[in-house]
Amino acid sequence: DIKLGSCLKIESGSVTLDLNGYKLYRELGSASADGHVIEVASSGSLIIKDSSADTGTITGGYATNGGGIANYGTLNIQGGRITGNQATGNGGGINAAAGSKTTIENATVMKNDAKNGGGINIEVGAEPVNMINTMVKSNTSLYDGGGIQDLGGVVLDGCVITSNNAYGSTNENSKALAKSLYYYSEAANEYFGG
């Protein structure tokens, strides 16, 4: 396992990270702006894979936004687990910032916590996040989007979104999605879910 003293920051260029069954982690007692485990800068590109049957883990981040991963550039997750991360703002597991591109495939986003978007937060202005064969489970938010807060667009294919909780949501729309998915419809100019 690999303990990081500071976040792993991809400033520029393209990097491939193979978790290979290991845990990439931080141990933070309080949140900080750069408390992520990984940050992808706007000119950076990161591929994360796990060549050991989905046991590699990104955990222990505690940031303002994007506890596990803060993506401002291009992020392609092809396996592994993002679990046990926190954000005092948005995106406990992953925060897809405005202008970012994110693909998540064959991964698990589980037991993360944030103010909004406990598992994943997709900001206004982010490219739609493509999620394929991914599980978003048992994440929590203080307000909206226990599993996913979608303000920028998300495409789901073969995904399981279950057992997430948005504790303080007061949104009355789409109660079937209220604990897992919160999204904004620009066409309707309304928010749905919780």
Side-chain angles (χ1 to χ4, degrees):
D1 294 344
I2 301 168
K3 181 180 178 182
L4 300 174
S6 61
C7 77
L8 174 62
K9 189 168 184 178
I10 311 303
E11 294 275 6
S12 62
S14 182
V15 174
T16 298
L17 171 65
D18 187 350
L19 295 171
N20 198 22
Y22 288 96
K23 178 170 70 173
L24 188 64
Y25 72 103
R26 299 188 70 183
E27 289 181 345
L28 300 174
S30 61
S32 67
D34 63 349
H36 343 281
V37 179
I38 297 172
E39 179 182 326
V40 183
S42 59
S43 56
S45 177
L46 176 63
I47 296 171
I48 298 172
K49 60 182 184 176
D50 184 15
S51 58
S52 68
D54 196 36
T55 57
T57 304
I58 295 168
T59 190
Y62 196 178
T64 307
N65 295 306
I69 303 172
N71 181 30
Y72 301 94
T74 301
L75 174 65
N76 188 338
I77 300 173
Q78 300 176 359
R81 302 176 190 172
I82 296 94
T83 185
N85 301 285
Q86 300 177 70
T88 56
N90 302 318
I94 301 168
N95 188 62
S100 67
K101 301 176 183 177
T102 307
T103 301
I104 307 169
E105 185 171 3
N106 299 321
T108 301
V109 180
M110 182 172 73
K111 295 184 179 177
N112 302 285
D113 182 72
K115 184 176 181 179
N116 295 293
I120 301 167
N121 180 64
I122 306 164
E123 292 184 4
V124 172
E127 291 202 10
V129 172
N130 289 304
M131 295 178 59
I132 305 155
N133 298 330
T134 290
M135 177 176 286
V136 180
K137 179 180 179 181
S138 301
N139 300 283
T140 57
S141 67
L142 180 60
Y143 294 110
D144 295 312
I148 301 170
Q149 175 170 254
D150 171 25
L151 306 179
V154 63
V155 179
L156 303 172
D157 182 1
C159 296
V160 176
I161 304 175
T162 186
S163 303
N164 301 285
N165 212 327
Y167 289 105
S169 178
T170 58
N171 196 299
E172 296 299 322
N173 296 311
S174 295
K175 284 297 188 181
L177 297 175
K179 292 184 180 180
S180 289
L181 178 63
Y182 181 81
Y183 66 99
Y184 176 72
S185 169
E186 187 172 345
N189 198 30
E190 292 180 356
Y191 290 91
F192 299 93

